[in-house]
Amino acid sequence: MVLTSLKKAAGLAAGISLLAGSLFAAKVPDLNGRVNDYANIINRGTEEKLSSYLQQLDQQEGIQIAVLTVPSLEGDDIASYSMKVAEKWKLGDSKTDKGALLVVAYAEHDLRIEVGYGLEDKLTDAKCGLIIRNVIIPQFKEGDYSEGILLGVQNMGGIASDNAELVSHSVQREDGDEEDGLMGVAFMIVWLIFFFAIITSKGGIWKWIFLSNFLGGGHRGGIRSYGSSHRSSGFGSGFGGSGFGGGSFHGGGGHFGGGGASGHW
């Protein structure tokens, strides 16, 4: 009897806790444009540039990126809140899921990049982390929220559209170092597999000696590497073009799975 009463009390307390959480959690606003600055931290000029660029990115590349700033999360955490926003706004086409979202919570000093399924191969968790740490947060720490958001969106769009001109050197450099390291590991694994396949076969050691001498006497120019070319998406410097602002905007039914990264300044 006592145990049953305790279980009922625990269930009631849990229900009250969930209800309280839903009452006091930050509300998800309606999508009123590509830039939704409810925290009032973006100056008008930057907001116009962002809206113009993001509209052009949507029209030319089919990539929908939106910005949301809020005064406070009101007890919610940035990852849960940004996911709720992404699920409500549904950025990106329902077939390609090429949507992304930048959320900034002013009071908590938290921010997050949320990435749709269709962009997860480009805007990886690692790249989103680089954008946050190397591009946005340094500007935020100086109190320049407009510039931080502008550069952050520029990098997000540049990576998503394969336009290297829009990607900061700090993001390209660290991302390139990471890729070079992975390539080196992959090459070493392939080389070891090749080596053991030879020496474990019949007469393998003699084949190895012969092959080593043959390769050693050949051309020693080494392996040549070629940098990948980047397609220009026609954005020029990325921002500042006129005639691309305004117009109604709504999500296209895109889906999100939690890809992205969070940060704190």
Side-chain angles (χ1 to χ4, degrees):
M1 187 72 176
V2 175
L3 182 59
T4 302
S5 299
L6 288 174
K7 287 182 178 180
K8 288 182 178 180
L12 179 61
I16 293 173
S17 177
L18 289 173
L19 179 61
S22 64
L23 289 174
F24 294 102
K27 302 298 182 183
V28 176
D30 292 331
L31 179 61
N32 291 322
R34 292 175 170 84
V35 182
N36 302 263
D37 183 26
Y38 291 98
N40 295 316
I41 59 176
I42 307 174
N43 63 53
R44 181 173 293 275
T46 299
E47 185 171 344
E48 290 176 353
K49 291 179 182 179
L50 281 168
S51 297
S52 174
Y53 167 65
L54 292 177
Q55 181 174 355
Q56 187 177 1
L57 184 67
D58 187 3
Q59 292 174 342
Q60 295 188 1
E61 300 289 341
I63 297 170
Q64 286 191 337
I65 297 177
V67 177
L68 171 64
T69 73
V70 294
S72 173
L73 294 173
E74 298 179 11
D76 210 343
D77 66 275
I78 188 67
S80 298
Y81 180 73
S82 65
M83 192 61 189
K84 287 189 291 187
V85 176
E87 289 175 344
K88 180 177 179 179
W89 287 6
K90 298 185 181 299
L91 300 168
D93 185 85
S94 60
K95 295 181 179 179
T96 61
D97 295 326
K98 291 184 178 181
L101 172 69
L102 173 61
V103 179
V104 178
Y106 181 75
E108 291 81 6
H109 285 200
D110 286 334
L111 69 154
R112 180 169 175 82
I113 296 174
E114 204 72 51
V115 181
Y117 283 122
L119 292 178
E120 287 184 347
D121 61 328
K122 294 182 178 180
L123 275 172
T124 62
D125 295 357
K127 289 179 181 178
C128 290
L130 288 174
I131 294 172
I132 289 173
R133 293 192 304 273
N134 295 355
V135 177
I136 301 178
I137 287 180
Q139 296 294 331
F140 279 16
K141 287 184 175 180
E142 296 294 325
D144 197 344
Y145 300 106
S146 294
E147 187 69 9
I149 292 171
L150 181 69
L151 292 175
V153 170
Q154 176 181 0
N155 277 265
M156 291 169 64
I159 291 173
S161 63
D162 296 321
N163 189 347
E165 293 181 359
L166 302 181
V167 183
S168 300
H169 292 301
S170 59
V171 175
Q172 290 182 350
R173 182 176 64 251
E174 290 199 24
D175 184 52
D177 291 343
E178 180 182 356
E179 290 181 358
D180 289 343
L182 292 175
M183 286 295 295
V185 172
F187 176 79
M188 181 61 68
I189 292 173
V190 172
W191 186 88
L192 289 173
I193 293 173
F194 176 69
F195 172 76
F196 284 111
I198 291 177
I199 64 173
T200 55
S201 63
K202 186 176 180 181
I205 190 63
W206 298 110
K207 291 179 183 179
W208 173 251
I209 294 173
F210 171 76
L211 187 60
S212 297
N213 290 332
F214 176 77
L215 292 176
H219 179 64
R220 296 180 180 272
I223 299 175
R224 297 178 64 186
S225 62
Y226 299 86
S228 59
S229 60
H230 294 273
R231 172 176 54 87
S232 174
S233 62
F235 296 148
S237 61
F239 298 90
S242 59
F244 293 99
S248 61
F249 174 67
H250 57 83
H255 305 88
F256 288 70
S262 303
H264 182 84
W265 79 93

